[in-house]
Amino acid sequence: MIEVAVRASQMKLRAILAAAIIGLCAADWAAGTTLIARGLRQNLTAPSEVPVERVVLNQAGAPELVGWVIGRKDSCGAIVLLHGRGANRLAMLQRAKLLSDNGYSVALFDLSGHGESGGTVQGFGYIEGQDAVHILTYARQRFPGQKIGAVGSSLGAAAFVFAAPKAIADAYVLEQLYATLRETTARRMPFSMLRSLQADVLLAQMPLRLGISADDVRPVDRLGEIGKPLLLLAGGEDPFIDHGQVMALKKAAASQLVWFNGAGHVDLLRHDQQRYRISVVPFLATNLCRTNAAGHV
């Protein structure tokens, strides 16, 4: 009788453990679905405060990309703006107006899986790197003879990095760029003592879902391939990108770095407009303008 009871207890324990493992796997899969899924496709209304031209880029075998262009006949360069994860080109509109007012033509696009653009997934900037290739190529064709700047926030910053070396801008402003996907994902996990393990389990889905490995998604290893003037902007209190990641990026590309004290993973222009302006506008003027840079600061 005792042996029967022990066996029954063991079988019950195994059943509980099996159910727990299945439940954890299901929860992990659901979390992975949420992580990469796009939101509803949107219809964005053209802004009233600045004249824009709607542009649609059709990519062979890839999602169409929708954006706005603000052209200037007297521009001293053209700048491509790419937004962060879960956002759309409206998030970059304030930057577009700032840069247009300072003498630039501007192109701002929805990345695939965002806004009005096609696509069903968000790919951490790695997949969106192909979008950045097409958008930068378009900008070169649209604004021949002009230098091209790249300003990207978070996901958009990573997309510019992964576009290299296929497409290179003449100067970069990369805001809130992460160093490696594993590090930034771990910092988003709920249980601090198990963050690395949680991140590894979650990211193990990537080859099945996206056809890439988390080890492929390391901007810190690609930043040095750009070889152009580069300005990093980082939030001093960013919960997802710590100081170690930022300093690793700075070292990888020997880039300039500006900290925004007290800023989390937020819109840095909205956080401190004056600091953003005095950091970004002179940098772009120095590296892009064909005329006297001082006239555009």
Side-chain angles (χ1 to χ4, degrees):
M1 292 293 291
I2 295 177
E3 290 182 1
V4 172
V6 170
R7 288 176 183 173
S9 178
Q10 290 175 337
M11 291 178 65
K12 184 177 181 180
L13 179 60
R14 288 170 183 166
I16 292 173
L17 288 173
I21 291 172
I22 292 172
L24 287 172
C25 289
D28 183 61
W29 188 259
T33 299
T34 301
L35 188 64
I36 67 170
R38 74 165 295 155
L40 293 175
R41 196 162 182 178
Q42 300 163 299
N43 291 317
L44 303 182
T45 302
S48 59
E49 62 267 33
V50 59
V52 298
E53 173 192 348
R54 188 175 186 271
V55 175
V56 179
L57 302 182
N58 292 308
Q59 310 179 85
E64 68 176 10
L65 302 173
V66 182
W68 289 323
V69 171
I70 304 169
R72 286 188 56 134
K73 293 182 180 179
D74 59 343
S75 77
C76 67
I79 299 175
V80 174
L81 301 176
L82 295 181
H83 58 79
R85 182 179 183 274
N88 57 54
R89 63 187 185 272
L90 286 174
M92 307 303 282
L93 190 57
Q94 188 177 4
R95 289 168 178 76
K97 189 174 186 308
L98 169 68
L99 296 170
S100 177
D101 289 345
N102 277 273
Y104 301 96
S105 294
V106 182
L108 54 163
F109 276 81
D110 295 332
L111 291 164
S112 57
H114 296 76
E116 288 190 273
S117 291
T120 59
V121 299
Q122 303 179 59
F124 311 107
Y126 187 91
I127 291 175
E128 293 82 1
Q130 191 60 36
D131 300 339
V133 170
H134 285 279
I135 297 167
L136 286 170
T137 301
Y138 165 77
R140 292 283 186 196
Q141 296 169 348
R142 178 66 184 263
F143 305 105
Q146 296 192 32
K147 289 187 175 182
I148 304 296
V151 177
S153 175
S154 194
L155 179 79
F160 280 130
V161 174
F162 288 116
K166 291 183 179 179
I168 300 287
D170 296 294
Y172 291 79
V173 177
L174 303 180
E175 307 176 28
Q176 298 175 314
L177 176 66
Y178 64 88
T180 73
L181 182 60
R182 287 191 186 279
E183 288 177 278
T184 191
T185 302
R187 294 187 66 84
R188 296 170 186 264
M189 296 295 100
F191 305 110
S192 58
M193 294 184 66
L194 298 172
R195 280 178 171 171
S196 293
L197 176 60
Q198 294 173 82
D200 287 343
V201 172
L202 184 61
L203 295 175
Q205 303 175 33
M206 287 184 61
L208 291 174
R209 290 183 176 274
L210 300 176
I212 59 175
S213 165
D215 293 330
D216 297 323
V217 191
R218 295 175 53 88
V220 69
D221 294 340
R222 301 284 292 271
L223 208 58
E225 297 180 10
I226 292 177
K228 296 291 183 177
L230 196 154
L231 173 65
L232 292 174
L233 306 183
E237 303 297 330
D238 193 324
F240 308 135
I241 304 170
D242 61 7
H243 285 222
Q245 290 186 68
V246 175
M247 297 311 296
L249 291 167
K250 182 179 186 299
K251 181 178 179 181
S255 61
Q256 299 178 47
L257 169 62
V258 176
W259 290 102
F260 284 69
N261 295 330
H265 202 74
V266 297
D267 186 322
L268 296 178
L269 174 57
R270 293 183 184 277
H271 177 80
D272 190 335
Q273 293 189 24
Q274 181 179 6
R275 186 162 183 78
Y276 190 98
R277 180 185 176 87
I278 64 175
S279 301
V280 172
V281 174
F283 171 81
L284 292 174
T286 298
N287 292 289
L288 298 183
C289 284
R290 295 174 299 174
T291 56
N292 183 5
H296 296 279
V297 175

